[in-house]
Amino acid sequence: MMRKEAVRLCEFITSTQQAECCDLNRALKLAVCNIMCYWIFGRYFDYKNEHLTRLIRGVNAMREESECLHWSLSYQLAKYIPGTKSNAISQSHSDFYSEVASLVHQSKLTMKQSNTRFNYVESLFNEQNKEISTKGYSESYSNTKIISSIRDLLECGVDSTSNVIYRLILELISHPVILRRCEKATDELLKHVDEQPSNKDIKSLNYLEACRLEALRLASCEHPGIRRTCSDTVSVFGYRVYKGTPVHVRLDRLHKDTATWPRPSEFYPERFLDSQGAISIPANHIPLGVGNRCCPGDQLGKQIVRILSFYLINKIVLNVCNRKNLVDDTNNSNGLLFRVSCRAKTYRVGMEFKSC
């Protein structure tokens, strides 16, 4: 299904570019959201479907309307911070929650009664039914908790996963030598596989995998960090941190520590390769968290990034339309709008299908 969506994404980008300027930000979010909807609800949407449109609108609203708040912070905090659009944020959360609740309700009505492949929603409702049959009610798998958990998966997963992909694409465009090496690797892989490459096949491309890890390191610097609570009283660099104290680990500091990452602001995939060319990941590379409370969508997100980026690199010609790259006036842009985040300037990038 991911390969099908990757091909569809490439076709969407090149077809819309001919008639109008295609927003890569939105295109990637449509593809990522569609994959997640298939995994969560067992449903596959057209890019113009109203459900998919409303979900993307909700994800965008969480990030853009909050302005100084990060999307992962609860909107209830907004009313305590001067200048934030607390009413707009609250309404955006409400609309997003309602759309997710509608999809969850539809999935519950059409649940399979056989032992065939279940989607994520059906698995949760099966656990709910087990709890009800045992206790007479459901506490851990109530409807509210199911809807909230799925909303959080979509809100966090769509934005973070798509952000890593366009960070990777931007870096590859900015480093033509690295891009050509990745293109060559994808071409070589397709010569040795009888069918479409699997996630395992793509993962075997060590240099492309190193590029993904480096993009993930740089993209994670926009994340607010990892929040934990001290389980014991400890001393850190002479400071006494008592048990129960909330601790916030800043990923931007961790992933730009010069002791581990020489030239930390540069895109340098070789830092993830050992002398034999095999993948080597430093212990403090934790963009998706660590421990039992790391990102629950870790493996799914990695697969999405690998497969979508593989097809974009292999099927699409990537080049910078403007040598200065930054464009202030985008109304008459003939290339592809590229947004790294809601606050970044617009990049103009050319994309077209590769000739066979």
Side-chain angles (χ1 to χ4, degrees):
M1 184 270 167
M2 290 188 192
R3 293 191 292 269
K4 176 182 177 182
E5 188 65 33
V7 173
R8 189 182 186 190
L9 171 64
C10 294
E11 293 174 347
F12 176 76
I13 288 174
T14 53
S15 63
T16 54
Q17 187 187 358
Q18 304 303 321
E20 57 187 44
C21 195
C22 176
D23 185 354
L24 183 60
N25 186 326
R26 181 173 178 273
L28 283 172
K29 284 183 178 178
L30 285 170
V32 173
C33 190
N34 218 6
I35 292 172
M36 294 191 67
C37 283
Y38 181 79
W39 176 71
I40 294 172
F41 306 111
R43 301 184 62 179
Y44 190 72
F45 299 111
D46 182 85
Y47 282 178
K48 295 183 180 181
N49 183 278
E50 280 300 311
H51 286 300
L52 193 60
T53 301
R54 285 193 289 266
L55 288 175
I56 296 300
R57 188 183 301 131
V59 171
N60 289 337
M62 296 303 98
R63 187 170 182 92
E64 294 178 6
E65 290 184 357
S66 60
E67 293 182 342
C68 67
L69 286 176
H70 192 277
W71 54 268
S72 67
L73 297 178
S74 175
Y75 72 89
Q76 285 107 342
L77 295 176
K79 59 186 177 183
Y80 300 108
I81 302 177
T84 59
K85 301 177 183 178
S86 56
N87 292 333
I89 297 170
S90 179
Q91 185 60 46
S92 297
H93 266 264
S94 178
D95 294 343
F96 192 29
Y97 183 92
S98 297
E99 180 60 30
V100 173
S102 173
L103 289 170
V104 169
H105 179 67
Q106 292 176 31
S107 297
K108 186 176 183 179
L109 292 176
T110 57
M111 279 182 63
K112 303 180 181 72
Q113 301 302 318
S114 62
N115 291 323
T116 56
R117 177 188 179 277
F118 289 103
N119 56 56
Y120 183 62
V121 171
E122 291 174 348
S123 299
L124 293 178
F125 278 120
N126 282 336
E127 294 300 320
Q128 182 190 78
N129 292 335
K130 291 178 183 178
E131 195 171 40
I132 291 174
S133 64
T134 304
K135 299 181 179 180
Y137 65 94
S138 179
E139 180 180 2
S140 301
Y141 294 93
S142 65
N143 289 345
T144 301
K145 287 184 177 180
I146 289 176
I147 295 169
S148 296
S149 67
I150 292 173
R151 178 200 60 188
D152 292 343
L153 278 174
L154 286 169
E155 181 180 341
C156 300
V158 172
D159 191 79
S160 59
T161 305
S162 58
N163 188 48
V164 172
I165 299 173
Y166 30 89
R167 180 61 186 250
L168 173 59
I169 297 300
L170 174 62
E171 294 292 353
L172 291 178
I173 292 171
S174 303
H175 299 82
V177 175
I178 297 178
L179 174 58
R180 301 297 171 255
R181 184 171 174 179
C182 290
E183 289 177 331
K184 183 179 179 180
T186 62
D187 291 338
E188 288 296 321
L189 176 63
L190 291 178
K191 293 178 182 178
H192 297 91
V193 293
D194 296 330
E195 300 178 355
Q196 294 298 324
S198 65
N199 176 63
K200 184 178 180 180
D201 294 328
I202 297 173
K203 187 179 179 180
S204 67
L205 301 177
N206 288 343
Y207 192 73
L208 184 56
E209 184 70 3
C211 289
R212 181 190 67 80
L213 291 168
E214 180 70 338
L216 189 57
R217 179 187 71 85
L218 293 170
S220 67
C221 293
E222 300 175 9
H223 194 279
I226 301 172
R227 293 178 289 276
R228 293 291 187 271
T229 301
C230 283
S231 57
D232 295 297
T233 299
V234 296
S235 179
V236 181
F237 296 112
Y239 293 92
R240 194 167 182 78
V241 183
Y242 292 93
K243 179 179 179 179
T245 303
V247 177
H248 187 95
V249 180
R250 291 185 56 180
L251 290 181
D252 60 334
R253 297 297 186 187
L254 188 65
H255 289 157
K256 288 192 174 182
D257 183 2
T258 54
T260 305
W261 315 102
R263 298 175 294 172
S265 297
E266 293 184 21
F267 183 75
Y268 185 64
E270 285 79 1
R271 70 175 87 245
F272 290 97
L273 298 173
D274 61 19
S275 59
Q276 304 300 318
I279 293 294
S280 177
I281 304 177
N284 60 350
H285 182 259
I286 52 172
L288 300 175
V290 65
N292 294 332
R293 294 180 57 201
C294 67
C295 175
D298 180 9
Q299 295 303 315
L300 177 64
K302 288 178 180 177
Q303 289 187 42
I304 294 174
V305 173
R306 285 191 190 108
I307 293 176
L308 293 189
S309 58
F310 176 90
Y311 276 83
L312 285 172
I313 293 169
N314 185 257
K315 302 295 183 183
I316 302 292
V317 176
L318 305 172
N319 58 77
V320 179
C321 295
N322 190 319
R323 297 299 293 179
K324 294 182 179 180
N325 206 21
L326 290 175
V327 179
D328 295 324
D329 181 12
T330 60
N331 294 328
N332 298 316
S333 175
N334 295 319
L336 177 67
L337 286 180
F338 189 103
R339 295 180 178 87
V340 178
S341 70
C342 61
R343 295 182 181 85
K345 289 187 178 180
T346 302
Y347 287 81
R348 190 165 63 183
V349 179
M351 287 191 172
E352 61 184 20
F353 264 119
K354 292 182 179 179
S355 56
C356 298

